[in-house]
Amino acid sequence: MAQSIVQHLSVSFEHTKYQDDYRNRLQQVIAKKIQGEEILKNEVAHPKSNVLDLISALQASLDALDNKSSSKSIKPKGKRKKEQNSMIS
């Protein structure tokens, strides 16, 4: 079943559909530098990434679990039926 899903979703890779934006920006900066133009820091700024810091995300998840479990109050359990019956007699 898994193999059929993978085969169904698989397509051949078409490199023409993708472009390397970083390389293109870098080539533009290099061309300006060769021409003697001043390169401003904003021109070389790295795009924001949506990559999460995995360790921080895992730690936050663990902290949330700790807070959730410690915030629950422990309810005392009721007496067992056997104990209740011995009290009645």
Side-chain angles (χ1 to χ4, degrees), residues 5-44:
I5 292 172
V6 170
Q7 288 174 353
H8 178 67
L9 296 176
S10 296
V11 295
S12 61
F13 179 73
E14 297 179 33
H15 72 290
T16 56
K17 292 172 86 174
Y18 305 96
Q19 59 180 326
D20 188 351
D21 294 331
Y22 176 79
R23 182 181 176 132
N24 293 339
R25 285 193 315 273
L26 182 61
Q27 287 177 334
Q28 290 173 355
V29 170
I30 291 171
K32 286 183 179 182
K33 184 104 175 173
I34 290 172
Q35 293 173 0
E37 294 181 31
E38 185 177 341
I39 308 300
L40 301 175
K41 188 172 185 176
N42 292 339
E43 293 180 46
V44 188

Side-chain angles (χ1 to χ4, degrees), residues 40-77:
L40 301 175
K41 188 172 185 176
N42 292 339
E43 293 180 46
V44 188
H46 301 288
K48 290 185 179 180
S49 171
N50 62 352
V51 176
L52 299 175
D53 179 16
L54 183 59
I55 299 299
S56 298
L58 289 172
Q59 188 62 47
S61 177
L62 288 173
D63 292 343
L65 286 175
D66 286 342
N67 290 339
K68 188 175 181 181
S69 65
S70 66
S71 67
K72 289 183 179 179
S73 61
I74 300 174
K75 297 179 182 177
K77 293 185 178 181

Side-chain angles (χ1 to χ4, degrees), residues 78-89:
K79 294 183 180 179
R80 294 182 186 171
K81 286 186 178 182
K82 187 176 184 180
E83 293 174 2
Q84 288 176 348
N85 289 338
S86 65
M87 294 179 135
I88 295 173
S89 30

